[in-house]
Amino acid sequence: MTRTGPSREARADEWKGRLENAKGFHGAAKDLLDLHEDGPSTNPILTVIVHAAIAYGDALTASVGRVNQKDHSALPKLVQDALGRRADPEQIRRLQRILDEKDSVSYGARRGTTEQARKMYEQLERFGTWAKDILS
């Protein structure tokens, strides 16, 4: 596997803990979205969605021996390289689109909308289902 960005070797079963984290973030995002009422910013929900996608990506790469560190923008390439032919280009693009929102929803002043949160959660659902299928 090609080294892409800062990464480290993963412990043999580290992917399992990372998958559990992903499922936890995923469930928390669903709960927050279900409880959300129109009006307030959805940035906290969107941030949890981003973290769920990162954790799924980390579980995928850890399952083949590498874990991304610090540079989340390098994660899609690391997932693609780690999975080789099993990498679905559509899913890699989906992960990239979710990660593209990270800075604006986590640190920016732009207010997330309910519609944006619903759409991004749908993308997480698709990416998470694919990642769990690969890891099963």
Side-chain angles (χ1 to χ4, degrees):
M1 173 188 330
T2 328
R3 185 175 172 113
T4 54
S7 66
R8 67 164 174 79
E9 194 171 313
R11 294 179 308 280
D13 64 350
E14 183 174 345
W15 68 271
K16 293 176 184 177
R18 291 181 177 272
L19 179 59
E20 286 305 310
N21 287 343
K23 290 176 181 178
F25 282 124
H26 194 153
K30 173 78 167 112
D31 291 345
L32 289 170
L33 191 55
D34 287 347
L35 293 170
H36 182 74
E37 296 178 12
D38 282 337
S41 172
T42 60
N43 287 18
I45 300 167
L46 296 166
T47 299
V48 175
I49 290 169
V50 168
H51 283 283
I54 291 168
Y56 280 124
D58 286 345
L60 288 165
T61 63
S63 73
V64 295
R66 296 284 328 149
V67 177
N68 185 55
Q69 290 193 303
K70 299 177 186 172
D71 183 9
H72 293 128
S73 66
L75 184 57
K77 175 108 173 78
L78 188 60
V79 171
Q80 182 176 349
D81 290 348
L83 296 180
R85 285 186 234 165
R86 295 184 305 158
D88 178 345
E90 184 178 339
Q91 296 299 338
I92 301 301
R93 284 190 301 275
R94 183 168 279 129
L95 173 60
Q96 185 64 61
R97 283 192 303 270
I98 293 171
L99 293 179
D100 285 346
E101 297 295 321
K102 180 179 181 278
D103 286 348
S104 65
V105 302
S106 296
Y107 314 116
R110 182 179 53 109
R111 182 183 168 280
T113 66
T114 302
E115 177 71 14
Q116 179 187 13
R118 286 189 180 120
K119 286 180 179 179
M120 206 156 132
Y121 181 79
E122 181 181 312
Q123 296 305 306
L124 175 65
E125 279 280 291
R126 291 178 179 176
F127 182 70
T129 298
W130 175 74
K132 289 182 280 189
D133 286 348
I134 292 283
L135 293 167
S136 64

